[in-house]
Amino acid sequence: MKYVLFDVDGTLIDAVSNQRRVWGAWAKRYGLDGHEVYQVALRTRPMETFAQVAAGRDPHECLAALHELEDEDVRSGVYAAFDGASELLHGLSPGSWALVTSNYEHRVRGRFLRTGLPVPDVIVDAAAVGEGKPSPVPYLRAAEQLGAAPGDCLVIEDAPSGVRSGLRAGMTVWSVNAAVAVEGVHRHFISLRESVPHILAFASAPPGNAAA
């Protein structure tokens, strides 16, 4: 069996407007410019963002405020799955795919519930690993839980840190939902929809066969 490991935000679910809104609300609490804060947040992890834009504030307080806003957004925000996501996930065999996210599992489940996407047995979230992307640890943990060899895994990503994580894990990595391919990927698709038949073909290939 081949296995497919998906990033979530930007790959399966379009959460850009939600992330912008959350960071804007967070910035307003601290009297900061929402656009400037969001531009930093796009490139850094939350603790690194706080260090840059709110160095005088308690980072743990900042994180608690961000988590509160994110949880509220999951309850009340509007989410959309990328075209092709439902067809793709329903087309994969149970136990052959997983989610690997820098977010938290309860938020992912909330978003999937809102968009009608199926939830897999394996979700590796921010709380499951000590090292996040671009470390290979998250993708290796997912493969371990699926009982998969890294060489039989396909990673679907949209961000450079996730791509590096998959590559360092020794997996095939494809990027989606961007006009230009992320550096290092084996294959690139402008949209998730375009990638669907190719991902399903990879998943049905015998183990050990390269399908990059």
Side-chain angles (χ1 to χ4, degrees), residues 1-2 151-153 172 201-212:
M1 180 186 290
K2 292 279 195 174
D152 288 329
C153 293
T172 299
F202 180 101
S204 63
N209 285 11

Side-chain angles (χ1 to χ4, degrees), residues 11-96:
T11 301
L12 295 172
I13 291 182
D14 186 354
V16 171
S17 61
N18 303 79
Q19 292 167 343
R20 185 180 290 113
R21 183 166 54 250
V22 165
W23 277 108
W26 181 89
K28 186 176 181 179
R29 286 194 181 188
Y30 292 96
L32 301 170
D33 182 278
H35 176 73
E36 292 181 2
V37 169
Y38 180 65
Q39 293 306 307
V40 176
L42 282 174
R43 305 187 304 270
T44 59
R45 298 172 187 171
M47 285 299 196
E48 297 165 346
T49 303
F50 306 146
Q52 289 192 39
V53 304
R57 300 280 186 172
D58 179 350
H60 297 289
E61 175 195 315
C62 291
L63 187 62
L66 180 66
H67 284 174
E68 175 190 331
L69 291 165
E70 289 181 325
D71 286 342
E72 175 56 34
D73 186 69
V74 170
R75 290 190 292 269
S76 61
V78 177
Y79 285 90
F82 282 106
D83 183 30
S86 181
E87 174 189 336
L88 173 57
L89 299 186
H90 281 102
L92 293 169
S93 301
S96 71

Side-chain angles (χ1 to χ4, degrees), residues 7-198:
D7 173 53
V8 177
D9 292 340
T11 301
L12 295 172
I13 291 182
D14 186 354
V16 171
S17 61
N18 303 79
Q19 292 167 343
R20 185 180 290 113
R21 183 166 54 250
V22 165
W23 277 108
W26 181 89
K28 186 176 181 179
R29 286 194 181 188
Y30 292 96
L32 301 170
D33 182 278
H35 176 73
E36 292 181 2
V37 169
Y38 180 65
Q39 293 306 307
V40 176
L42 282 174
R43 305 187 304 270
T44 59
R45 298 172 187 171
M47 285 299 196
E48 297 165 346
T49 303
F50 306 146
Q52 289 192 39
V53 304
R57 300 280 186 172
D58 179 350
H60 297 289
E61 175 195 315
C62 291
L63 187 62
L66 180 66
H67 284 174
E68 175 190 331
L69 291 165
E70 289 181 325
D71 286 342
E72 175 56 34
D73 186 69
V74 170
R75 290 190 292 269
S76 61
V78 177
Y79 285 90
F82 282 106
D83 183 30
S86 181
E87 174 189 336
L88 173 57
L89 299 186
H90 281 102
L92 293 169
S93 301
S96 71
W97 63 284
L99 302 177
V100 181
T101 176
S102 299
N103 211 319
Y104 289 88
E105 182 172 348
H106 71 280
R107 293 192 195 118
V108 171
R109 288 185 177 275
R111 293 176 181 185
F112 272 49
L113 181 65
R114 300 287 297 279
T115 54
L117 295 178
V119 178
D121 294 332
V122 174
I123 301 176
V124 175
D125 71 347
V129 291
E131 298 179 38
K133 304 171 187 179
S135 165
V137 170
Y139 280 111
L140 289 173
R141 177 68 57 82
E144 179 185 7
Q145 292 187 22
L146 288 170
D152 288 329
C153 293
L154 170 63
V155 168
I156 306 298
E157 271 281 357
D158 74 304
S161 63
V163 167
R164 289 197 296 272
S165 177
L167 292 173
R168 290 173 180 175
M171 300 175 181
T172 299
V173 183
W174 294 353
S175 61
V176 298
N177 295 332
V180 179
V182 178
E183 183 179 355
V185 295
H186 298 99
R187 198 168 182 181
H188 173 67
F189 300 90
I190 293 175
S191 67
L192 180 68
R193 161 57 64 192
E194 181 187 349
S195 74
V196 169
H198 304 280

